[in-house]
Amino acid sequence: MARKETPHTYQGISASPGISRGPIFVYQEQDLSVPRHQIKDSEDEIRRLEKAIAIADEQITSLQTKAETETGTEEAAIFEAHALFLQDPTLINAVHESIQGQKLNAEAAWIDAVEVNASNLEALEDEYFQARAADVRDVGRRVLRILLGVAESDLSDLTAPSIVLARDLTPSDTVRLDKSLVLGFCTAEGGPTSHTAILAKALGLPAVVGLGNSILDLKSGDPLLIDGGRGEVIAFPDEKIIQEFDVRRQKLEAQALAELELAHEPAITVDGHQVEIVANIGSPQEAQSALKHGAEGIGLLRTEFLYLDRHEEPNEEEQLAAFDSILDAMEERPVVVRTIDVGGDKEVPYLDLGVEANPFLGWRAIRMSLDKPELFKTQLRALWRASPGHDLRVMFPMIATLDEVRRAQKLFKDAREEVVAEGHGVADRVQVGIMVEVPSVAVLADLFAREVDFFSIGTNDLTQYTFAAERTNEKVAHLGDGCHPAVLRQIQRVINAAHDEGIWVGLCGELAGDPDAAPILLGLGLDEFSMAPSSIPHAKAIIRNWSKSDAQKLASKALEFDSAEAVREYVRTNQPG
Ligand code: PEP
Ligand code: MG
């Protein structure tokens, strides 16, 4: 049956605001697990490899031509470099050696050699070469796909500005994505705090998640409008709809521009109360975006980027270089680094996390770190070595018990002693805090507050654990709203417990940048709001619009409602002025 190409609206969940329009790029995830076995006929295996390389070369040439006509020479130059890599004699010799010497199959021999090459590039200090590692891996996957006979459909095939449509996107998918070509994200699955949402906010791009499987009937090239703020997506829009969207987009853009102009001013309420507005970032590159959007520091550096999309653990030097680059960019501003938080929906094949029935309740974050002290220590040592001359703060994710805090602190202390004994300089003081994302910590916040320097409330996880509703499952996404009094009352408890002990409290879940939640959090006494850089200008504008005393009244009212909807409705109808 022919497809109807008339306007069709899909309602999903708002994950990142903004409006954009463009063709769809459908991303189908591929299983590229690498078989590894002994072969008998190495000549045959080499022929297979050479054929795959030749096909890859043809694909790259046609992508290059397409790039030249569609996006210009800069894009095309990247493919030229890809083609050159296919002919790199060091690489080819290494693969031949593994196939002939170790009788390794072509897939394993190829990917091993590619990884060595990519890691070598990453270890170089020059940013240009580090960035090339991603290109090398891209080419590696292309050849691997051909060897495995997997149909070509990969994020690396995104060659023109498009709205990316996928079932869901994992952090490792998005690392490879050419962000400059993405106009927005739509996913069939996922909730408002999924990693697609976090990435979209980080890039300042609109995103709608949890659209349901019917959205996957759309094809690459189909025209689409996306309104991230409303959680709405329209396929095959007609002229009238396009015009309405364009008017709305212009209005939003004008407002955003005005807010950006004031982004570098502090966030002070009408009655003179100042709060700290800092950024959540997930890579050294994003530090620039944080500064551009007026961040007063980093409230959450997600360090997973160091571990994802690679085949072996990052070493101490590599981590040190990444921390140095962020700390240098932020100068004297505070930078809160969260230690490794993998597991849950963040998979890392080489860490052998195993398959779990309920990964979000499983062996993730601090649980894994404490069981793998060597891996954890590598990061802690790098942090101490990066600390001199900066306001570095460290926090542990997914803390559930006091025993975990004490064990993590002990390892951090041991790491300090080790690096000092080796003659490295360290800062006199590094604040050590924990994320509050498990209800057990909110309940016992008074006890935890005695043992740490600060709290940072992770409402993405705190909400999913409060409602027992997985944050990536769109079927239960309606349950996971951080504006629910069940979450807000825990936040109140945590802030009060912290202030009673004289420590500061931040919040780094998506709720911090949520326009409905911001005045409530202000009223509850939150000290630090940490959010995607692109959310900062608007959040500052909201804070400046409120007085602390009005926000306090709003917050105490919000705590008495019985649903998140009622709270949001109340905030929207009780704006100041
Ligand atoms: C959170 O859980 O709120 C948080 C900030 O951590 P992440 O989203 O990385 O799990
Ligand atoms: Mg979390």
Side-chain angles (χ1 to χ4, degrees):
M1 201 174 69
R3 286 187 319 143
K4 278 216 301 245
E5 299 196 348
T6 50
H8 185 86
T9 304
Y10 298 83
Q11 187 63 49
I13 301 159
S14 160
S16 175
I19 289 179
S20 77
R21 163 158 80 83
I24 295 175
F25 169 81
V26 179
Y27 169 60
Q28 276 151 356
E29 62 274 47
Q30 294 169 308
D31 177 13
L32 287 190
S33 47
V34 184
R36 188 171 289 275
H37 53 81
Q38 297 283 297
I39 45 116
K40 286 201 185 77
D41 187 346
S42 47
E43 288 314 306
D44 220 30
E45 206 63 2
I46 287 181
R47 266 195 297 279
R48 217 160 65 75
L49 176 75
E50 280 172 353
K51 201 166 148 211
I53 291 178
I55 297 172
D57 194 38
E58 275 170 31
Q59 288 180 353
I60 291 170
T61 311
S62 84
L63 281 170
Q64 192 183 343
T65 319
K66 201 165 157 223
E68 266 160 15
T69 50
E70 288 175 1
T71 53
T73 48
E74 214 176 302
E75 195 72 30
I78 295 172
F79 291 110
E80 206 176 304
H82 282 198
L84 281 177
F85 177 65
L86 282 178
Q87 295 157 16
D88 179 350
T90 329
L91 173 84
I92 304 294
N93 287 345
V95 186
H96 282 199
E97 227 167 79
S98 303
I99 295 178
Q100 282 164 333
Q102 299 164 35
K103 297 272 179 232
L104 201 57
N105 61 315
E107 291 88 347
W110 168 255
I111 218 67
D112 287 353
V114 165
E115 191 44 42
V116 168
N117 200 306
S119 305
N120 287 345
L121 283 170
E122 263 171 348
L124 297 173
E125 286 215 344
D126 191 311
E127 261 179 42
Y128 170 78
F129 288 112
Q130 288 175 354
R132 296 293 319 283
D135 286 320
V136 168
R137 292 203 175 98
D138 229 5
V139 182
R141 277 176 67 84
R142 182 174 295 285
V143 173
L144 181 63
R145 255 191 336 244
I146 299 164
L147 281 169
L148 293 171
V150 176
E152 190 184 1
S153 172
D154 196 325
L155 287 169
S156 59
D157 301 329
L158 175 66
T159 54
S162 309
I163 295 171
V164 174
L165 169 64
R167 182 172 299 284
D168 202 1
L169 290 164
T170 68
S172 9
D173 289 331
T174 51
V175 187
R176 293 194 310 273
L177 191 67
D178 180 351
K179 281 99 179 167
S180 66
L181 294 175
V182 182
L183 301 173
F185 294 101
C186 298
T187 62
E189 298 175 358
T193 59
S194 62
H195 283 278
T196 306
I198 292 166
L199 175 83
K201 283 202 193 125
L203 297 171
L205 291 170
V208 180
V209 297
L211 282 153
N213 282 337
S214 62
I215 190 95
L216 297 173
D217 293 340
L218 296 172
K219 307 249 177 311
S220 283
D222 286 350
L224 200 73
L225 284 179
I226 166 171
D227 184 335
R230 293 188 180 181
E232 199 177 271
V233 164
I234 304 179
F236 304 107
D238 58 22
E239 262 319 299
K240 188 165 165 276
I241 298 174
I242 290 176
Q243 265 175 24
E244 278 170 16
F245 256 68
D246 283 346
V247 169
R248 253 177 36 228
R249 177 168 59 185
Q250 277 159 16
K251 230 175 109 189
L252 279 176
E253 281 173 1
Q255 186 192 337
L257 212 64
E259 288 173 353
L260 191 59
E261 274 178 18
L262 293 174
H264 296 273
E265 304 297 321
I268 303 175
T269 60
V270 175
D271 50 356
H273 175 77
Q274 182 171 353
V275 292
E276 218 178 323
I277 309 283
V278 291
N280 291 351
I281 61 169
S283 68
Q285 294 76 17
E286 281 175 78
Q288 293 310 326
S289 168
L291 289 171
K292 193 179 113 211
H293 288 92
E296 294 155 9
I298 301 297
L300 167 64
L301 167 64
R302 291 184 166 96
T303 57
E304 291 73 67
F305 72 93
L306 290 164
Y307 300 88
L308 301 173
D309 200 35
R310 51 187 296 144
H311 297 278
E312 59 189 13
E313 295 168 16
N315 63 28
E316 185 174 316
E317 298 303 322
E318 217 177 306
Q319 300 203 41
L320 176 63
F323 297 143
D324 275 346
S325 104
I326 293 166
L327 287 162
D328 287 346
M330 299 311 292
E331 297 172 342
E332 77 291 352
R333 299 174 185 86
V335 173
V336 181
V337 178
R338 178 178 74 186
T339 60
I340 178 171
D341 183 10
V342 295
D345 64 337
K346 301 167 197 159
E347 290 170 27
V348 182
Y350 60 85
L351 285 183
D352 279 337
L353 298 174
V355 178
E356 297 179 313
N358 295 296
F360 277 112
L361 299 180
W363 195 53
R364 57 172 294 205
I366 197 69
R367 301 166 183 193
M368 187 213 64
S369 297
L370 292 173
D371 286 346
K372 284 182 179 277
E374 286 315 310
L375 172 93
F376 193 28
K377 273 273 208 65
T378 303
Q379 184 167 61
L380 299 179
R381 286 173 50 98
L383 284 166
W384 275 116
R385 287 179 58 193
S387 65
H390 298 288
D391 185 357
L392 171 68
R393 304 168 186 194
V394 172
M395 69 178 170
F396 305 122
M398 273 292 291
I399 290 290
T401 69
L402 281 149
D403 177 59
E404 287 168 343
V405 181
R406 292 171 190 148
R407 287 169 57 204
Q409 282 169 332
K410 164 88 174 57
L411 285 170
F412 193 46
K413 205 167 142 261
D414 292 349
R416 182 184 189 281
E417 277 163 22
E418 279 177 25
V419 301
V420 169
E422 288 165 21
H424 298 293
V426 294
D428 289 342
R429 176 164 150 78
V430 171
Q431 290 190 32
V432 180
I434 56 169
M435 290 201 64
V436 179
E437 18 187 21
V438 180
S440 61
V441 181
V443 172
L444 297 185
D446 50 334
L447 301 187
F448 284 89
R450 288 181 207 155
E451 309 212 9
V452 297
D453 296 318
F454 66 92
F455 286 147
S456 184
I457 307 173
T459 42
N460 303 341
D461 278 317
L462 184 62
T463 307
Q464 78 162 340
Y465 296 130
T466 297
F467 294 102
E470 205 184 295
R471 64 197 259 191
T472 55
N473 183 341
E474 82 284 359
K475 294 200 194 77
V476 294
H478 62 283
L479 292 167
D481 189 331
C483 266
H484 197 289
V487 178
L488 296 179
R489 287 194 195 188
Q490 291 182 75
I491 296 174
Q492 179 196 35
R493 189 181 176 87
V494 172
I495 294 174
N496 291 346
H499 289 174
D500 285 348
E501 270 312 316
I503 66 170
W504 64 270
V505 194
L507 192 149
C508 59
E510 298 310 293
L511 202 67
D514 182 324
D516 294 338
I520 300 176
L521 299 172
L522 173 71
L524 290 174
L526 189 71
D527 303 300
E528 180 231 54
F529 294 61
S530 191
M531 61 195 73
S534 59
S535 303
I536 290 176
H538 190 49
K540 284 191 172 181
I542 292 174
I543 303 283
R544 290 186 196 121
N545 226 359
W546 281 84
S547 70
K548 173 103 191 264
S549 58
D550 281 349
Q552 278 168 332
K553 285 181 209 135
L554 180 88
S556 54
K557 184 83 188 158
L559 295 177
E560 298 308 318
F561 286 108
D562 61 6
S563 71
E565 292 76 27
V567 170
R568 289 187 182 277
E569 180 61 25
Y570 185 75
V571 177
R572 286 174 196 178
T573 49
N574 285 277
Q575 290 293 308

